[in-house]
């Protein structure tokens, strides 16, 4: 219910911008219209997902929209960075129990390794390693499952939003003039729509399968599953890259990216995204120009509130996944020193699988924000 | 018993076993086994301290007790079985040692069955 209400509010924003900027209107008129359409009441009553407030405790969509309408600064970059850092470290702290448990079992399996080395026979020490490994893989998979739940909710929201907005969107394409129609290339819309659905129904289960296969892969050398696991991972990467490339190509063809990203901040952002985001970093860098162009288009429009809500939702989940990847990498590094290499290899593998989750989510996030920007552009008359 | 006493005891037992083996090899075997048991007792008391520390840490980090006891039991069974089978091998009873190993493995597998069941259920839920 909450999700549906949120979808309604964001859609309202997108189309409110149409009525607000249809003619030459003053700020007061815009504010009056803002209240007249009931946006203020809806914004106050809408319950956003808890994760939004975990990242930004003082977030108030209504206040944000009023500040935007009055062209005032909405938040200082330093306070935003502080919120992000706080959230990230809180995530690291919340995952410490699982990691501590993994390390404790690693220590126990290290004792078993000592036993095997002392008596010079693998025998029972090897059999006793099995429950230790299974328990570690269980904790690792639980961590993975927990974080995947957030990603799944986020994707479900994106897909639900697209499903809800697509009919209205199509109607607008028919109603609008050729400028808007040119922008609203149906191929791009379809691509965004397909990408979100594709990630949710194909990539996502494949990532789960890969995580499960990695448990079996490192369990014993007698079970040769390395190539199968690599096949899954490579397939996921290739599919993501393919979908992302098609999307980027469509954007280029339809000449949405009319402006280029400039300035040191923009270049630094591109460099960071290109190098730090796994798998699809290159694609994201390429589409960043478009993203910024779209962001430029919607600046000063009430609809940006919707984009802000979506961005916060996605960013908080991305940060959560990133924190877990980090924790797993740390656990892998420590367990390599105290225990069997199979445990550290499994943990490293799991963190790699989690990074695929991050890549898929980042991919959907960028395309979704572009889609939202286009939606708002239609609302403002193209 | 500190480490110095254990080392001294081990060396004395070895010298004694070597001397006795020349005249009464069966008694040398008993000396060797007895010394092994005493040294293992020392190791076990140290291991117990280590495990109680591990257990308190595990409880502190919210480790579920259902898995805590089987893990400690598995470790104990492994050490005991490995020690016993090695003693049998030292006595030249390779066949008995093998059977002891087998018994130990079966017990470890039986103890790890609940863990395996939980993991399989988790994988089933994930997929």
């Amino acid at each position: 219910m909450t999700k549906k209400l949120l979808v309604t509010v964001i859609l309202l924003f997108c189309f409110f911008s149409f009525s607000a900027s249809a003619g030459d209107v003053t700020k007061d008129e815009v504010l009056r219209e803002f209240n007249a359409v009931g946006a203020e009441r809806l914004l106050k009553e809408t319950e956003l997902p808890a994760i939004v407030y975990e990242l930004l405790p003082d977030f108030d969509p209504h206040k944000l929209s009023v500040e935007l309408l009055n062209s005032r600064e909405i938040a200082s970059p330093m306070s935003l960075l502080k919120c992000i850092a706080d959230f990230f470290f809180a995530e690291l702290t919340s995952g410490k129990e699982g990691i501590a448990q993994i390390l404790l079992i690693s220590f126990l399996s290290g004792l078993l390794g000592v036993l095997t080395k002392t008596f010079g026979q693998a025998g029972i020490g090897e059999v006793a390693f099995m429950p230790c490994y299974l328990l570690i893989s269980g904790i690792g998979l639980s961590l993975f499952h927990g974080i995947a739940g957030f990603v799944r909710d986020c994707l479900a929201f994106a897909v639900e939003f697209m499903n809800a907005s697509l009919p209205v969107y199509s109607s607008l394409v028919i109603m609008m003039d050729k400028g808007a129609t040119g922008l609203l290339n149906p191929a791009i819309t379809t691509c965004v729509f397909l990408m979100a659905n594709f990630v949710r129904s194909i990539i996502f289960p494949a990532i789960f399968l890969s995580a499960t296969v990695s448990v079996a892969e490192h369990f014993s050398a007698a079970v040769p599953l390395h190539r199968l696991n690599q096949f899954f991972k490579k397939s996921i990467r290739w599919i993501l890259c393919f979908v992302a490339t098609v999307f980027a190509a469509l954007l280029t063809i339809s000449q949405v990216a009319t402006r280029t990203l400039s300035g040191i901040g923009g270049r630094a952002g591109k460099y960071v995204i290109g190098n730090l985001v796994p798998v699809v970093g290159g694609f994201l860098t390429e589409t960043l120009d478009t993203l910024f162009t779209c962001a430029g288009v919607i600046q000063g429009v009430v609809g940006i509130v919707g984009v802000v809500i979506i961005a916060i939702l996605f960013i908080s989940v991305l940060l959560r996944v990133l924190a877990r990847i980090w924790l797993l990498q740390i656990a892998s590094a420590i367990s390599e020193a105290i225990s069997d290499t199979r445990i550290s290899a499994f943990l490293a593998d799991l963190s790699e699988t989690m990074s695929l989750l991050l890549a898929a989510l980042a991919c959907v996030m960028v395309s979704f924000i572009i889609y939202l920007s286009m939606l708002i552009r239609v609302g403002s008359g193209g | 018993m500190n480490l110095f006493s254990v080392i001294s005891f081990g060396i004395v037992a070895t010298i004694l076993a070597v001397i006795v083996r020349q005249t009464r090899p069966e008694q040398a075997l008993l000396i060797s086994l007895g010394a092994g048991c005493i040294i293992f007792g020392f190791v076990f008391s140290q291991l117990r301290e280590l495990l109680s520390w591990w257990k308190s840490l595990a409880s502190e980090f919210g480790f579920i007790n259902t898995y805590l006891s089987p893990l400690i039991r598995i470790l104990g069974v492994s050490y005991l079985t490995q020690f016993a089978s090695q003693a049998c091998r030292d006595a030249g009873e390779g066949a008995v040692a093998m059977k002891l190993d087998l018994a130990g493995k079966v017990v470890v597998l039986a103890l790890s069955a609940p863990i395996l069941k939980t993991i399989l259920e988790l994988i089933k839920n994930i997929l």
Side-chain angles (χ1 to χ4, degrees):
Chain A
M1 183 65 197
T2 313
K3 217 180 268 177
K4 278 181 185 163
L5 197 61
L6 189 61
V7 169
T8 318
V9 169
I10 295 166
L11 271 174
L12 179 85
F13 280 154
C14 298
F15 301 118
F16 171 67
S17 60
F18 166 63
S19 53
S21 54
D24 293 327
V25 287
T26 63
K27 274 179 196 168
D28 289 339
E29 280 173 320
V30 171
L31 273 169
R32 258 203 310 279
E33 198 168 343
F34 179 74
N35 294 331
V37 293
E40 185 187 6
R41 189 177 56 82
L42 255 176
L43 271 176
K44 281 178 178 169
E45 285 174 6
T46 305
E47 201 181 318
L48 295 175
I51 197 165
V52 172
Y53 295 109
E54 280 176 38
L55 180 63
L56 297 172
D58 302 324
F59 183 71
D60 180 359
H62 173 248
K63 197 178 150 197
L64 175 72
S65 55
V66 172
E67 300 282 290
L68 277 168
L69 283 170
N70 288 311
S71 308
R72 281 201 294 258
E73 191 186 14
I74 45 172
S76 73
M78 282 312 287
S79 67
L80 274 176
L81 272 178
K82 192 184 170 296
C83 283
I84 288 173
D86 287 348
F87 180 81
F88 187 71
F89 285 112
E91 279 308 310
L92 285 182
T93 317
S94 73
K96 74 169 192 277
E97 273 192 358
I99 299 305
Q101 287 175 7
I102 286 176
L103 290 178
L104 281 168
I105 306 168
S106 298
F107 172 74
L108 209 66
S109 90
L111 281 180
L112 287 166
V114 170
L115 178 79
T116 308
K117 279 177 192 157
T118 309
F119 289 100
Q121 283 176 319
I124 197 159
E126 188 62 24
V127 179
F129 170 77
M130 187 193 81
C132 290
Y133 176 81
L134 282 177
L135 215 51
I136 287 175
S137 58
I139 296 169
L141 281 180
S142 300
L143 284 173
F144 183 81
H145 193 226
I147 209 73
F150 287 108
V151 178
R152 192 192 285 131
D153 286 349
C154 211
L155 285 175
F157 172 76
V159 171
E160 197 175 317
F161 181 86
M162 285 181 197
N163 287 338
S165 61
L166 208 62
V168 193
Y169 190 53
S170 311
S171 316
L172 271 169
V173 174
I174 299 161
M175 286 192 302
M176 288 293 141
D177 59 359
K178 62 180 180 183
T181 320
L183 183 74
L184 273 172
N185 194 325
I188 298 170
T189 321
T190 314
C191 193
V192 175
F193 187 73
L194 280 178
M195 191 191 277
N197 279 296
F198 198 69
V199 167
R200 193 167 78 145
S201 36
I202 294 172
I203 303 281
F204 213 64
I207 291 173
F208 271 121
L209 203 60
S210 170
T212 315
V213 169
S214 53
V215 175
E217 184 198 335
H218 301 287
F219 183 64
S220 166
V223 190
L225 287 172
H226 178 70
R227 288 194 185 278
L228 182 71
N229 198 14
Q230 287 304 310
F231 166 73
F232 277 125
K233 282 185 184 159
K234 274 183 187 163
S235 305
I236 294 165
R237 278 194 198 108
W238 276 99
I239 293 170
L240 269 180
C241 286
F242 176 74
V243 176
T245 311
V246 169
F247 182 66
L250 278 173
L251 276 177
T252 315
I253 292 164
S254 59
Q255 295 179 334
V256 172
T258 48
R259 275 198 263 170
T260 52
L261 190 65
S262 59
I264 296 166
R267 282 166 206 269
K270 281 175 84 173
Y271 175 79
V272 169
I273 291 171
N275 287 285
L276 297 186
V277 176
V279 189
V280 287
F283 148 71
L284 294 186
T285 316
E286 289 310 312
T287 51
L288 212 60
D289 274 337
T290 316
L291 190 66
F292 276 77
T293 310
C294 293
V297 168
I298 58 170
Q299 260 170 12
V301 185
V302 191
I304 202 168
V305 178
V307 179
V308 170
I309 294 172
I310 297 292
I312 294 171
L313 249 177
F314 274 90
I315 287 169
S316 50
V317 177
L318 282 174
L319 282 172
R320 196 163 263 182
V321 180
L322 206 63
R324 290 290 154 93
I325 290 173
W326 222 47
L327 280 173
L328 280 174
Q329 291 281 6
I330 292 170
S332 167
I334 298 173
S335 67
E336 193 174 19
I338 59 170
S339 181
D340 198 289
T341 48
R342 280 173 285 178
I343 292 174
S344 63
F346 165 71
L347 293 172
D349 209 10
L350 199 64
S351 73
E352 200 187 323
T353 314
M354 251 188 213
S355 69
L356 287 176
L357 212 61
L358 184 88
L361 190 66
C363 224
V364 174
M365 184 187 89
V366 169
S367 59
F368 191 51
I369 289 177
I370 291 173
Y371 170 78
L372 266 181
S373 315
M374 286 164 66
L375 202 65
I376 294 160
R377 179 77 185 265
V378 176
S380 61
Chain B
M1 196 187 264
N2 61 20
L3 186 65
F4 183 73
S5 315
V6 175
I7 291 168
S8 314
F9 175 76
I11 291 168
V12 170
T14 311
I15 294 167
L16 207 66
V18 168
I19 295 166
V20 172
R21 187 165 289 134
Q22 290 164 354
T23 50
R24 307 286 291 270
E26 71 281 358
Q27 280 183 1
L29 179 70
L30 288 176
I31 290 169
S32 165
L33 276 177
C37 284
I38 290 167
I39 294 169
F40 189 74
F42 165 75
V43 171
F44 217 73
S45 68
Q46 297 291 315
L47 200 66
R48 206 162 53 187
E49 273 178 36
L50 197 70
L51 284 177
S52 71
W53 167 79
W54 183 87
K55 215 172 167 177
S56 67
L57 257 181
S59 318
E60 204 177 298
F61 284 107
F63 208 102
I64 308 164
N65 207 34
T66 324
Y67 306 121
L68 203 69
S69 326
L71 272 186
I72 291 172
R73 273 191 210 163
I74 285 165
L75 192 78
V77 167
S78 309
Y79 267 83
L80 272 174
T81 316
Q82 196 74 281
F83 169 75
S85 73
Q86 195 61 39
C88 290
R89 274 193 192 93
D90 289 345
E93 293 296 329
V96 181
M98 226 166 73
K99 268 139 200 119
L100 267 178
D101 269 346
L102 179 72
K105 282 175 188 172
V106 170
V107 171
V108 166
L109 280 175
L111 282 171
S112 45
I115 298 173
L116 185 67
K117 193 182 155 201
T118 315
I119 303 304
L120 287 176
E121 271 170 15
L122 181 71
I123 290 174
K124 199 177 128 193
N125 284 341
I126 286 176
L127 292 176

